[in-house]
Structure formats: C-alpha cells, structure tokens
Amino acid sequence: MADLIFFFGMLRIVAALSFFATLALVVKLYLETDKGWYWLSLVVSIILLALSEWITLLFPLERRGALPILATISEAGTIAGAILLALSFYGMYKTMHDIRKRVE
C-alpha cells in the first residue's frame, strides 16, 4: 500500500512540474506570434490549474478536510482554469479563422 501511495505521489509531482514546461512553451509561443489577448488567458489558466494541482499535492484530501478553504481554492482554480483555457482556445480559433479569410 505504501508503494502505491508513493507511486501516485510521484505521478502528482510529475504532473505538477509539467505545468512549468507548459508555461515556458506558452511564453515562447507568445513571443513568436501576434501577442494576442488569448496568450495571457492561457498563462493565467495554466497558473490556476497548477495552483489546484499543487494544493492537491501538498494537502491530500484527508488534510484538506480540516481546511475547507483549501478545497474551495483548489476547485475554484480548476473551474476558472478550465474556463480561461476554453476562452484562450476560442481566441486562437478566431485569430486563425481571420487569417484564413485574409489569405483566401
């Protein structure tokens, strides 16, 4: 059982650290493209999703029960991050659609 807990803990750490790589790639994309508003939205969504992941990692479910504000922040970060992610993808879609219209 302890090995399984350790394994899932390691997976959580890898998932949380992967947000840093994602953030670095978004910044590189921002610098290479039109610097649209959706890149900022994407960065904020990554930060909110990472915050939720780190809260889950640092405060497992049984410890979060004692601090309900942490569970609320974690869930709110997940929801807001997902909404901002959808908005940033919409911005990318709209920009690509406009570019395609100009090219045709």
Side-chain angles (χ1 to χ4, degrees):
M1 182 68 168
D3 290 337
L4 191 59
I5 292 172
F6 176 75
F7 175 72
F8 284 121
M10 293 306 294
L11 287 178
R12 284 272 185 197
I13 290 171
V14 169
L17 292 176
S18 68
F19 283 108
F20 290 119
T22 304
L23 191 58
L25 289 173
V26 167
V27 170
K28 288 181 78 70
L29 279 169
Y30 172 79
L31 296 174
E32 293 290 329
T33 59
D34 65 341
K35 297 171 179 56
W37 61 268
Y38 45 84
W39 294 114
L40 176 62
S41 175
L42 189 58
V43 168
V44 173
S45 73
I46 292 167
I47 290 170
L48 288 172
L49 290 169
L51 174 69
S52 176
E53 185 71 26
W54 279 102
I55 288 173
T56 302
L57 176 68
L58 296 174
F59 302 98
L61 193 56
E62 60 273 0
R63 288 187 13 203
R64 272 186 286 163
L67 298 168
I69 189 71
L70 289 177
T72 304
I73 292 170
S74 178
E75 294 303 318
T78 300
I79 293 167
I83 290 170
L84 286 175
L85 185 63
L87 282 174
S88 63
F89 283 140
Y90 171 75
M92 287 180 217
Y93 162 77
K94 188 170 174 0
T95 300
M96 294 302 138
H97 189 265
D98 292 345
I99 291 171
R100 188 176 331 124
K101 276 188 170 181
R102 280 187 258 153
V103 170
E104 292 175 350

